[in-house]
């Protein structure tokens, strides 16, 4: 009976994970490792719980599901999605344990670039398409491959968007300061 319940829980976890797995991403760690070794690509690991975690949902919306990111990431890295359910199961804990040496924390979302032996290469510095693509490019270079093409153009677009957001933030701060003064 215990084995049956464990099998049912595992099946439910797999079904839930499949519904939240980004298009074109691997969910099998062993398969991702084999592909990375065969294709000489880094593995972009994402541990996420997008059905319950706000920051995970934002990461998917602002980075993972963007067409530019999807195209570049799948071409230059093996993308591995590890589902982290709100209530962990023995199976989900076991999958996350594989990356214990990579991730020092247990929160989500967690992401990093690793080699085919799951050794840490680097971690994206932020949560923008450019920062993720730059991390993939840097990981490729560390693996002895060419950097991602089009990175300079993406950087210019990122810098332009960053300046616009900074201007909006300053304007909002001035308005907020003025409204506090008026009170």
């Amino acid at each position: 009976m215990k084995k049956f319940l464990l099998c049912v829980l595992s099946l439910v976890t797999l079904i839930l994970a499949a519904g939240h797995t980004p298009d074109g991403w691997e969910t099998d760690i062993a398969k991702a490792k084999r592909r990375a070794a065969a294709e000489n690509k880094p593995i972009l690991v994402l541990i996420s719980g997008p059905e319950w975690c706000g920051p995970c949902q934002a990461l998917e919306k602002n980075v993972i599901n963007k067409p530019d990111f999807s195209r570049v990431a799948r071409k230059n890295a093996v993308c591995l999605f590890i589902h982290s359910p709100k209530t962990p199961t023995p199976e989900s804990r076991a999958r996350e344990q594989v990356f214990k040496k990579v991730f020092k924390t247990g929160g989500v979302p967690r992401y990093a670039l690793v080699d085919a032996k799951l050794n840490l290469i680097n971690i994206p510095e932020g949560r923008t398409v450019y920062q993720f693509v730059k991390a993939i490019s840097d990981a490729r270079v560390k693996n002895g491959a060419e950097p991602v093409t089009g990175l300079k153009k993406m950087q210019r677009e990122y810098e332009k968007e960053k300046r616009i957001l900074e201007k909006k933030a300053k304007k909002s701060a001035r308005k907020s300061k003025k409204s506090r003064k008026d009170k």
Side-chain angles (χ1 to χ4, degrees):
M1 183 66 169
K2 201 174 190 180
K3 285 183 181 180
F4 174 75
L5 286 174
L6 187 59
C7 287
V8 170
L9 281 173
S10 297
L11 182 61
V12 168
T13 301
L14 287 173
I15 290 168
L16 286 172
H20 295 286
T21 303
D23 290 340
W25 286 57
E26 294 287 344
T27 56
D28 183 291
I29 297 168
K31 188 175 178 182
K33 288 170 61 175
R34 285 191 301 272
R35 272 192 56 210
E39 298 172 18
N40 190 32
K41 291 181 179 178
I43 302 171
L44 172 60
V45 179
L46 171 61
I47 300 178
S48 180
E51 75 282 3
W52 61 270
C53 167
C56 299
Q57 293 165 2
L59 180 65
E60 281 201 9
K61 178 185 174 197
N62 299 323
V63 178
I64 305 303
N65 292 331
K66 293 285 187 183
D68 282 351
F69 175 78
S70 295
R71 178 182 42 79
V72 171
R74 287 189 296 213
K75 180 180 176 185
N76 294 287
V78 174
C79 298
L80 174 64
F81 179 81
I82 305 294
H83 182 251
S84 181
K86 188 171 188 170
T87 305
T89 64
E91 194 169 87
S92 69
R93 282 190 185 107
R95 281 192 307 271
E96 290 188 41
Q97 276 296 103
V98 171
F99 297 99
K100 187 176 183 175
K101 67 180 181 180
V102 175
F103 299 109
K104 306 298 184 220
T105 65
V108 290
R110 285 176 279 162
Y111 41 83
L113 283 131
V114 298
D115 63 20
K117 294 179 182 172
L118 304 184
N119 297 310
L120 179 65
I121 299 173
N122 66 7
I123 296 174
E125 292 179 11
R127 294 183 184 178
T128 67
V129 170
Y130 168 71
Q131 289 164 323
F132 267 72
V133 171
K134 182 170 182 342
I136 291 170
S137 184
D138 293 347
R140 286 181 51 80
V141 170
K142 284 182 183 178
N143 271 358
E146 293 293 317
V148 172
T149 56
L151 190 61
K152 291 288 183 194
K153 179 183 176 192
M154 218 176 241
Q155 182 180 14
R156 286 191 301 273
E157 290 169 4
Y158 165 73
E159 294 295 335
K160 181 180 175 183
E161 190 176 308
K162 186 177 168 184
R163 283 191 301 275
I164 291 168
L165 290 173
E166 286 171 351
K167 283 180 183 179
K168 285 181 180 179
K170 284 179 183 178
K171 186 176 180 180
S172 177
R174 283 193 302 266
K175 277 185 179 180
S176 177
K177 189 176 179 180
K178 185 179 179 191
S179 71
R180 283 193 304 259
K181 252 185 181 177
D182 292 342
K183 286 183 179 181

